[in-house]
Structure formats: structure tokens, C-alpha cells
């Protein structure tokens, strides 16, 4: 499939601070591409540049054949944006919001009316269309927020952490909507700091940290970077020093790597069951009580941990 | 252009759905007008508009029927509360009182004034020249435009009535002479008698209390205390509305709708233009609703409709300029709200919404010229006194210039703040 988005060394500085440090990646037509990274990694800044809201310090991106720096208006016609925070007029009804935003995308007359009805149906708010947005629940507002981005049937939809701060049921509905849109042929760039969302939705994932794209590929390709490993997560008392254990565990033959993650100790190994007994023994020898142990299969969290030495939620 | 219009309409709709804003935009000025109207006795028929006891000095050098009639108008019971006349025989002394700001105006009725209006018998003789009318001089105090405007209107109305009477009197006398029913010698006596009847006519009650010139259908318009109070209150709360609109520019940024607008195929100028148009629309709607409501409920006559519309548009334009300027200086919507409320009150007081500017010190009167309230109120007073669109060139020009200058400054400030793009 041809690329709908080609990002070339895109960078953004705020004074001396480099928010995005020259990222490059492509998105093919029809795929869901996730930018996965912790808060402050540069995801929103990247999307803001791609959607022409922020002017890049350097680099460029081509969206549907148009440069974000040279043809911003053409780019805006080609993309839809669902911002992280709600961006709606709460004193207007859902329908009035959709009509207004549709007009801003150049829709009018019957095509606008039809499209508004379709989107209301799609986000499941036809019955509540004439209620003011301020009377909606958080999840309903999120759905309207998404609906606005869909009105003009964009070729590429940017969704910036659309599930932040909502209940599990609404989150599930949004993830299902994303998959449905993709099945209908829409290409999506989805940012998140939830590993599970990236794993569930994405064809490919870019892992971003401190403004740099540190890995990119399918989930399988990324987890391969960690190898065929398993991760033991040891939860210890707040009063005990996890660094003591890290030092001790690094001496165990089959342990590949040991780190402290949020006062927990992570141990990466080829076989969890082979090192489990030694890990417990080392902890007992140092008088440290282990409250619980999780054994985790390789996943994007492990990849991030492997690449940065930190957990995604840090 | 279409998007600018659509953004403006959207803002108008949002403003009229905000109950708190509606209270301040519509209910507050209406209730305050009602309250002040009651205090001033408007609704009990005992009117006191804050323009009471306007000092005026009258020099009657004519001392004949019409000169005396004009002087009597200012002595009449109906004007006793409104004007405080003093009489002098010396025109220079009268002018000096005005120069020293002790009087709002001097009315100098020249010798021969009556004679120039009611001609002698010779005027009707064949081939005699048209008698030249000797004008009454009004020496107005420029620092008291409203008060002197009222005095001028009283005199204008009197002159207008006399001219109507004179014209019809002359026509009648001419007809009588041509038909041979009276001789030229009898014509002067007939004219004097007609002048006297004019002065004594029952509708001269209206003449005596009328502060305004006649309307097109010849009926007199009475000056109404609410014609001063209602625009004063409406203009004061117009400043609230424009600051509310300005606040919405910054609010759109914080609530995320401005960034969202900027990623639609809509340019910054369209968005800013739309926001300005929204403020303008909301302010215009507010003014027109208040004017409509006060006309219906208080039977208030605002004057020449074309003039009212032109003045409302100019006043809202000038006020919108202030709204934009306040917004351009502020960092947050809360700052716009605080500064806007303060300016609403300061401009309301200094612009004459509560007290006639004539009663304020000259320094304040000069300061008032930066307020849209002052210019617009001046215009509404002119309309209330029977003026038309043609009489509004000064306030309208001032308001439009004010708006334009403030817009330009605001655009520069918005550019420096980089409100729209990072």
C-alpha cells in the first residue's frame, strides 16, 4: 500500500528544550499506526505539527501528497483531528456542534445534514442529538469529540489519547469505534500511553520517548528486540531498598537484566521458572520480603523497559 | 467570508444561551432603567431626568409679542424643573455668563424680532420687498452640549411654531387682501391678532413643554427622561457584552476549540474576524432588544429610526474595539472579565450613563471622549430631542474612528502574543 504519511526528520524546539528530536516514520494507507510513549514523550507535539497547528522547527511531513509546511490548507482538508482534550461548545447541542464543525470543513446544505445524521448514528447519539453537550457524560462528550473529526471523511485521522480519563465502558466503545473506522478503510494515527491499546489496535507501533522515536515496527517485530524472554516483577516493601536486590540478581547466571521500576524489581530472563528459586533465596538472604511476583510474557511494556530502563507509566 | 459569518452566528447563539450573560446583557440594564425611571418620577408623571435646572440667560431686546412669548416659554410652569432662566438686558453680560460656565446658553432675542416675523402693513403693499427675518441668537456653552442642546431645541421648536403660524397667517392675510375683504391698513392689525391667537392657542401648552422640534406629521415630541436613562444603561451594559465576547476569544483557546478551528481549513483571519463579528452581532442584538423592549413597555420614543440604527451600529463598533483591546492586553478569560467589569462601570459613570456629563468637571468631560458611552449618549440625546441621522455625523465619526483605531492596535497586540499558532 502507498504511504499516506511520510514524516521526515520532524523536530520542534521551545527555546533550548527539544520537544521532538527529528522523528521520521511512514504510515501506509489503511493501517492503524500507534505512537506509544509515556506522558511528555512528544506524542501530542508530533501530532500538533502533523495537523499544522504547530510550525516545525525543522523537517517536514507529506500527507496525502501535501507538505505540512508548504500546503497546510490542503493538509487540513485531508486530515481529521481528535484532540486529547475535549474541544466542543458545551452550550450547543451535539447536532449543532457537528453542523458548525462540518461547516468549518466546508460542508453545507443537504450533504452536511446527511453527514451529521450519519455521524450521530455512528457515535450512537442520534437520540441525544438535541441535548446540549454540557448535559452529557464524559464518555458521550468523547464520542462527540470523535464525531467532529469524522465529519468530512478524512483520509487520515489523528487521535490523540482519546481514552484518557474515561470509564472502562466508554473506553471499550471508543476502541471498537477505532477498529470499525479502520475496517471502513480509514487510516489512523493513534497516540497512547496505554500499552494494551497499542497492542489491541495497531498494525504497527512507534515507541517514542524524550522526543525520539526509539523503535518502530509490528508488535512481533518489537518484542523480538527483547528476545524470547519473560519478565518477573517483584513487589517488595516500601522500606526495603530495591537496588540491593538488583545488584544481587545480576549475579544470577540466567538473569539477562534487572532494573528498578516504581519500587518494583524487574528481572528479565529466558526462563522464569529456572531463576525463580534463586531470586527468592537472594531476597531472603538480604532480609527483604517479597510480597508478590508476576511473570509476564514479552510485550510492548517489556520492549519499552528494555529500551529505556523505565516503565511506560513512569 | 462565509466562515467568518458562521463563527459570528455561533458566538451569538452561545451568548444568548448563557443565562448569567443574559441577565447582565438584558435584564440588568432594563431593571436599572426601570428603577431610575421610578426614582426620577418618569412613571408617576413627575419627571426629573438629572438634567434639571439648566441655567439659561435670556436677553429680550425685542419686547414685543413674539419676544415676550419666547421669554414666557422659559418662565412656564412646565419647564420650571428643567430650566432655570435669568433675564438680562445686556447681551455681552449674558455671553460672559456662558463663557464663565455659569450658564448653559444665552438666548438673545434681537430688537425687531417680532416685526420681522409679523410684517407691518407696508409689507403687503404691491412691490414691497420681502422682510428680512432677524434671527434669535443662541450662544451655547460648548462644555455643556446636552444642556445647550435642550435649550436650542426649545427655541427651535418655538421658532418652528411661529414660522408655521407666520406662513399660514401671511397667506390668509394676502388672500383677504386680494379678495378685497380687508385693506392693507387692516392687515397689520390682523397679523398681530393672529400672532396673539397663536401664542394663546390651546396647543401652546404642548409648545411650552416641548423640548424638541416637530416631527414630520407636525406633532410635537416630548423630551422623556427615559430617552436619556435607557440609552445610558444600555450603553453601560454594552461594555459588559463586548468584554464577554472578548473573553470568549481567550476561552476558546483554553477550552481547545481555537486549536481545533486552526486545524480545519479555516485561516486565522477568518477566525479572528468571526470572533469580532460575533461580538458585534451580540452587542447589536442586545442594543436592539433593549430599544425594542423599552419602546414597547415604556412607550419610549428613541427618535429617528434610521438615526437610531446607524448610531447603534457605530456605538457597538466602537465598543467592540474596546472589547478587542481589553482581550489583546489580557492573558486569561478571567482577566478580561475583571477588567471588562471595571471598564463597564468607569465608562458608565464617566460616559454619562448615571449623571449628565454637563454636571461633571471639565477634566472628566474630556476623559469621557475616549468612551463610546459618551459619544453614543450624545447621539441618542440628539435623536431624543428630535435630531435625525444628519445630525449624528460627529458622534458616529468619533465612534467609528475609535473602533478602527482600537482594532488596529488589537491586531498588532494579538500578533505579538502569537495567539493562534506556536
Amino acid at each position: 500500500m502507498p504511504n499516506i504519511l511520510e514524516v521526515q526528520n520532524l523536530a520542534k524546539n521551545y527555546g533550548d528544550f527539544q520537544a521532538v528530536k527529528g522523528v521520521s516514520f511512514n504510515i501506509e494507507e489503511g493501517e492503524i499506526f500507534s505512537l506509544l510513549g509515556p506522558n511528555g514523550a512528544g506524542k501530542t507535539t508530533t501530532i500538533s505539527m502533523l495537523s499544522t497547528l504547530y510550525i516545525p522547527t525543522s523537517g517536514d511531513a507529506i500527507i496525502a501528497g501535501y507538505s505540512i509546511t508548504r500546503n497546510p490548507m490542503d493538509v487540513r482538508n485531508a486530515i481529521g483531528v481528535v484532540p486529547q482534550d475535549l474541544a466542543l461548545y458545551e452550550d450547543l447541542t451535539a447536532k449543532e456542534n457537528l453542523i458548525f464543525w462540518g461547516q468549518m470543513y466546508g460542508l453545507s446544505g443537504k450533504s452536511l445534514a446527511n453527514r451529521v445524521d450519519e455521524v450521530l448514528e455512528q457515535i450512537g447519539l442520534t437520540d441525544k442529538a438535541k441535548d446540549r453537550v454540557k448535559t452529557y457524560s464524559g464518555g458521550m462528550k468523547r464520542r462527540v469529540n470523535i464525531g467532529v473529526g469524522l465529519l468530512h471523511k478524512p483520509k487520515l485521522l489523528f487521535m490523540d489519547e482519546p481514552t484518557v480519563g474515561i470509564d472502562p465502558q466508554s473506553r471499550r466503545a471508543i476502541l471498537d469505534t477505532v477498529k470499525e473506522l479502520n475496517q471502513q478503510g480509514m487510516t489512523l494515527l493513534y497516540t497512547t500511553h496505554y500499552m494494551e491499546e497499542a497492542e489491541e489496535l495497531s498494525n504497527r507501533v512507534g515507541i517514542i520517548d524524550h522526543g525520539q522515536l526509539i523503535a518502530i515496527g509490528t508488535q512481533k517485530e518489537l518484542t523480538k528486540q527483547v528476545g524470547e524472554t519473560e519478565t518477573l516483577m517483584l513487589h517488595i516493601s516500601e522500606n526495603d531498598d530495591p537496588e540491593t536486590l538488583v545488584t544481587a540478581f545480576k549475579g544470577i547466571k540466567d538473569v539477562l537484566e534487572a532494573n528498578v521500576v516504581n519500587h518494583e524489581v524487574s528481572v528479565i530472563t529466558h526462563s522464569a521458572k529456572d531463576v525463580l528459586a534463586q531470586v527468592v533465596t537472594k531476597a531472603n538472604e538480604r532480609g527483604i520480603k517479597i510480597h508478590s511476583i508476576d511473570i509476564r510474557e514479552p510485550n510492548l511494556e517489556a520492549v519499552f523497559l528494555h529500551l529505556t530502563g523505565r516503565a511506560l507509566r513512569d | 467570508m462565509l466562515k467568518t459569518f458562521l463563527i459570528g452566528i455561533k458566538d451569538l447563539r452561545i451568548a444568548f444561551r448563557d443565562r448569567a450573560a443574559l441577565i447582565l446583557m438584558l435584564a440588568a440594564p432594563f431593571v436599572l432603567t426601570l428603577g431610575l425611571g421610578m426614582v426620577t418620577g418618569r412613571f408617576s408623571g413627575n419627571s426629573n431626568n438629572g438634567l434639571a435646572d439648566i441655567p439659561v440667560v435670556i436677553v429680550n431686546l425685542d419686547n414685543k409679542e413674539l419676544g415676550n412669548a419666547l421669554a414666557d416659554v422659559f418662565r412656564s410652569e412646565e419647564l420650571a424643573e428643567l430650566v432655570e432662566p435669568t433675564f438680562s438686558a445686556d447681551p455681552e453680560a449674558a455671553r460672559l455668563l456662558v463663557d464663565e460656565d455659569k450658564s448653559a446658553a444665552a438666548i438673545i432675542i434681537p430688537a425687531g424680532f417680532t416685526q420681522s416675523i409679523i410684517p407691518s402693513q407696508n409689507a403687503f403693499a404691491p412691490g414691497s420687498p420681502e422682510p428680512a427675518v432677524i434671527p434669535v441668537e443662541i450662544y451655547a456653552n460648548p462644555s455643556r452640549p446636552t444642556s445647550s442642546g435642550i435649550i436650542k431645541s426649545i427655541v427651535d421648536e418655538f421658532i418652528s411654531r411661529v414660522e408655521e403660524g407666520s406662513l399660514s397667517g401671511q397667506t390668509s392675510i394676502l388672500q383677504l387682501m386680494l379678495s378685497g375683504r380687508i385693506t392693507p391698513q387692516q392687515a397689520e392689525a390682523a397679523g398681530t391678532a393672529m400672532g396673539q391667537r397663536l401664542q394663546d392657542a390651546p396647543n401652546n401648552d404642548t409648545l411650552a413643554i416641548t423640548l424638541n422640534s416637530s416631527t414630520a406629521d407636525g406633532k410635537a415630541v416630548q423630551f422623556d427622561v427615559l430617552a436619556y436613562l435607557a440609552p445610558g444603561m444600555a450603553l453601560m451594559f454594552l461594555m459588559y457584552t463586548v468584554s464577554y465576547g472578548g473573553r470568549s476569544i481567550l476561552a476558546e483557546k483554553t477550552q481547545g476549540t481555537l486549536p481545533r478551528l486552526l486545524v480545519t481549513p479555516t485561516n486565522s483571519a477568518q477566525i479572528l474576524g468571526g470572533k469580532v463579528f460575533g461580538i458585534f452581532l451580540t452587542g447589536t442584538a442586545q442594543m436592539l432588544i433593549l430599544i425594542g423592549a423599552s419602546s414597547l413597555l415604556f412607550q419610549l420614543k428613541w427618535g429617528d429610526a434610521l438615526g437610531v440604527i446607524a448610531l447603534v451600529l457605530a456605538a457597538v463598533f466602537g465598543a467592540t474595539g474596546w472589547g478587542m483591546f481589553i482581550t489583546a492586553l489580557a492573558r486569561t478569560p478571567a482577566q478580561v472579565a475583571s477588567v471588562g467589569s471595571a471598564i463597564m462601570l468607569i465608562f458608565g459613570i464617566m460616559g454619562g450613563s448615571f449623571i449628565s456629563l454637563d454636571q461633571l468637571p471639565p477634566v472628566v468631560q474630556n476623559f469621557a471622549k475616549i468612551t463610546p458611552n459618551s459619544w453614543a449618549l450624545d447621539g441618542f440625546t440628539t435623536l431624543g430631542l428630535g435630531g435625525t441621522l444628519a445630525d449624528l455625523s460627529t458622534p458616529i465619526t468619533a465612534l467609528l474612528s475609535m473602533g478602527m483605531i482600537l482594532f488596529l492596535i488589537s491586531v498588532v497586540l494579538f500578533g505579538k502574543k502569537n495567539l493562534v499558532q506556536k
Side-chain angles (χ1 to χ4, degrees):
Chain A
M1 292 291 272
N3 290 332
I4 194 165
L5 170 67
E6 294 174 2
V7 183
Q8 303 148 357
N9 292 314
L10 203 60
K12 181 70 182 175
N13 298 349
Y14 294 106
D16 293 335
F17 176 67
Q18 292 180 288
V20 177
K21 301 169 184 171
V23 299
S24 299
F25 61 95
N26 300 329
I27 298 180
E28 290 180 6
E29 272 183 23
E31 74 172 337
I32 300 178
F33 182 92
S34 289
L35 267 182
L36 175 69
N39 292 329
K43 302 185 297 292
T44 299
T45 307
T46 302
I47 274 203
S48 297
M49 286 190 283
L50 294 176
S51 59
T52 75
L53 181 63
Y54 294 178
I55 299 167
T57 306
S58 62
D60 199 355
I62 307 297
I63 297 176
Y66 300 108
S67 157
I68 59 167
T69 54
R70 294 188 303 275
N71 322 101
M73 281 295 173
D74 295 313
V75 168
R76 291 175 193 180
N77 273 315
I79 61 168
V81 180
V82 178
Q84 181 174 347
D85 297 318
L86 294 171
L88 301 167
Y89 298 106
E90 299 223 339
D91 279 318
L92 299 183
T93 66
K95 188 166 189 169
E96 286 167 342
N97 264 286
L98 292 174
I99 290 172
F100 172 74
W101 289 108
Q103 288 167 333
M104 292 301 106
Y105 278 103
L107 301 178
S108 62
K110 205 166 176 63
S111 63
L112 172 64
N114 290 341
R115 190 63 193 134
V116 166
D117 288 343
E118 285 170 18
V119 169
L120 282 168
E121 184 73 33
Q122 195 165 8
I123 59 177
L125 287 172
T126 303
D127 294 341
K128 298 271 185 185
K130 291 182 179 172
D131 292 353
R132 291 192 196 178
V133 169
K134 67 179 174 188
T135 64
Y136 286 5
S137 68
M140 288 161 77
K141 288 178 185 176
R142 285 275 173 194
R143 278 143 67 189
V144 181
N145 205 35
I146 291 172
V148 169
L150 306 175
L151 281 163
H152 61 301
K153 296 185 176 172
K155 292 177 183 169
L156 174 61
L157 181 66
F158 296 143
M159 299 184 86
D160 190 11
E161 307 213 39
T163 60
V164 168
I166 58 168
D167 60 278
Q169 194 182 350
S170 298
R171 186 182 186 191
R172 182 71 262 152
I174 287 172
L175 295 181
D176 289 344
T177 304
V178 171
K179 285 192 264 190
E180 191 183 312
L181 290 170
N182 184 242
Q183 280 162 9
Q184 291 166 4
M186 192 175 281
T187 310
L188 290 106
L189 170 55
Y190 189 96
T191 76
T192 183
H193 64 269
Y194 297 123
M195 174 205 67
E196 312 82 36
E197 289 186 4
E199 285 180 346
E200 179 180 340
L201 297 173
S202 320
N203 301 103
R204 289 189 305 135
V205 177
I207 297 179
I208 188 168
D209 187 43
H210 293 309
Q212 283 181 305
L213 202 58
I214 54 176
I216 190 166
T218 62
Q219 190 181 342
K220 199 170 179 181
E221 288 167 347
L222 291 172
T223 49
K224 260 188 188 170
Q225 293 187 21
V226 196
E228 295 297 318
T229 59
E230 291 174 322
T231 304
L232 281 83
M233 296 298 296
L234 281 69
H235 179 53
I236 61 172
S237 167
E238 288 289 323
N239 300 325
D240 292 326
D241 180 14
E243 292 294 344
T244 312
L245 286 181
V246 167
T247 309
F249 293 163
K250 282 181 177 171
I252 299 172
K253 185 186 163 201
D254 291 329
V255 169
L256 301 172
E257 198 173 324
N259 291 295
V260 178
V261 179
N262 288 344
H263 207 73
E264 290 185 346
V265 180
S266 80
V267 179
I268 299 173
T269 172
H270 287 298
S271 173
K273 66 178 170 45
D274 290 348
V275 300
L276 187 57
Q278 294 178 75
V279 162
V280 174
T281 305
K282 295 268 185 192
N284 286 339
E285 284 171 1
R286 283 155 185 77
I288 295 174
K289 187 182 176 188
I290 299 171
H291 292 297
S292 64
I293 300 176
D294 289 337
I295 300 174
R296 294 177 185 173
E297 297 287 317
N299 58 18
L300 294 176
E301 175 82 44
V303 175
F304 189 83
L305 186 66
H306 172 72
L307 293 172
T308 66
R310 291 179 292 112
L312 262 171
R313 60 180 180 273
D314 278 359
Chain B
M1 191 66 189
L2 177 65
K3 286 185 180 175
T4 300
F5 177 78
L6 293 169
I7 292 169
I9 293 289
K10 179 264 299 172
D11 279 358
L12 175 70
R13 182 176 286 172
I14 289 174
F16 276 80
R17 285 190 183 171
D18 185 338
R19 280 186 197 164
L22 280 180
I23 288 171
L24 281 165
M25 285 194 307
L26 299 175
F30 200 76
V31 169
L32 270 172
T33 302
L34 185 68
L36 287 170
M38 285 175 170
V39 168
T40 55
R42 159 60 160 79
F43 300 106
S44 60
N46 183 21
S47 181
N48 177 358
N49 57 12
L51 288 168
D53 298 331
I54 298 169
V56 56
V57 56
I58 297 164
V59 183
N60 184 2
L61 301 176
D62 181 44
N63 283 318
K64 294 241 170 115
E65 290 88 345
L66 293 180
N68 294 341
L70 179 54
D72 287 345
V73 165
F74 283 90
R75 285 194 191 96
S76 66
E77 279 290 308
E78 290 82 357
L79 292 184
E81 284 187 9
L82 183 66
V83 295
E84 189 179 335
T86 53
F87 293 88
S88 168
D90 181 0
E92 284 310 312
R95 290 192 188 97
L96 190 63
L97 285 172
V98 175
D99 291 340
E100 289 173 350
D101 199 28
K102 290 176 181 166
S103 183
I107 301 168
I108 298 157
I109 309 167
F113 171 62
T114 300
Q115 194 69 22
S116 72
I117 304 279
I118 306 171
S120 65
Q121 61 185 33
N122 296 334
F124 296 100
S128 61
E130 182 108 350
V133 173
I134 302 172
V136 172
E137 180 190 348
I138 298 174
Y139 189 69
N141 185 338
S143 65
R144 301 190 188 197
T146 308
S147 296
S148 57
I150 288 171
I151 300 300
K152 183 175 179 297
S153 292
I154 297 171
V155 178
D156 282 349
E157 174 59 22
F158 179 84
I159 299 296
S160 167
R161 284 277 168 183
V162 167
E163 280 175 350
E164 281 174 28
S166 169
L167 190 65
S168 58
Q170 284 182 37
T171 307
S172 305
I173 291 166
L174 200 58
Q175 289 293 327
L176 290 169
M177 282 172 61
L178 290 173
S179 65
R181 292 184 187 173
I182 60 171
T183 63
Q185 287 74 19
Q186 291 171 309
E188 183 179 3
T192 306
M194 280 186 172
Q196 191 61 48
R197 279 200 298 279
L198 174 73
Q199 188 185 335
D200 298 339
N203 69 351
N204 264 12
D205 288 345
T206 306
L207 171 68
I209 60 165
T210 296
L211 308 185
N212 208 338
S213 58
S214 297
T215 52
D217 60 4
K219 290 178 185 167
V221 178
Q222 290 189 338
F223 183 77
D224 189 333
V225 55
L226 285 188
Y228 186 84
L229 293 175
M233 290 301 117
L235 288 163
M236 188 171 83
F237 285 91
L238 172 65
M239 291 308 296
Y240 165 80
T241 303
V242 296
S243 67
Y244 173 88
R247 198 170 28 167
S248 83
I249 295 176
L250 298 182
E252 289 230 29
K253 190 179 181 187
T254 53
Q255 73 193 17
T257 44
L258 181 63
R260 187 165 215 166
L261 274 169
L262 287 163
V263 298
T264 66
T266 311
N267 63 45
S268 309
Q270 285 174 311
I271 295 168
L272 199 58
K275 296 301 295 179
V276 174
F277 183 57
I279 300 172
F280 183 79
L281 270 183
T282 311
T284 304
Q286 176 200 18
M287 290 295 290
L288 293 180
I289 289 170
L290 288 172
I291 287 170
S294 58
S295 300
L296 283 172
L297 299 175
F298 302 150
Q299 279 79 48
L300 178 59
K301 304 268 190 300
W302 287 75
D304 176 47
L306 210 57
V308 169
I309 291 168
L311 189 59
V312 164
L313 295 178
V316 176
F317 185 77
T320 303
W322 274 106
M324 294 297 292
F325 181 64
I326 295 165
T327 307
L329 289 178
R331 288 174 182 276
T332 63
Q335 280 182 357
V336 181
S338 318
V339 175
S341 299
I343 285 198
M344 177 183 86
L345 284 172
I346 292 168
F347 280 16
I349 294 165
M350 295 195 153
S353 290
F354 294 100
I355 310 164
S356 168
L357 272 178
D358 295 349
Q359 296 173 18
L360 296 172
V363 174
V364 178
Q365 289 181 29
N366 287 331
F367 176 80
K369 288 188 169 43
I370 68 161
T371 71
N373 310 50
S374 154
W375 290 104
L377 201 48
D378 193 26
F380 280 117
T381 306
T382 302
L383 290 172
L385 294 170
T388 62
L389 177 59
D391 302 316
L392 299 177
S393 57
T394 305
I396 286 179
T397 306
L399 287 164
L400 293 180
S401 306
M402 180 187 293
M404 198 59 81
I405 291 166
L406 290 168
F407 276 129
L408 291 175
I409 296 171
S410 305
V411 166
V412 172
L413 290 173
F414 275 131
K416 282 188 177 171
K417 280 171 78 172
N418 206 3
L419 180 73
V420 291
Q421 211 162 27
K422 292 178 182 176

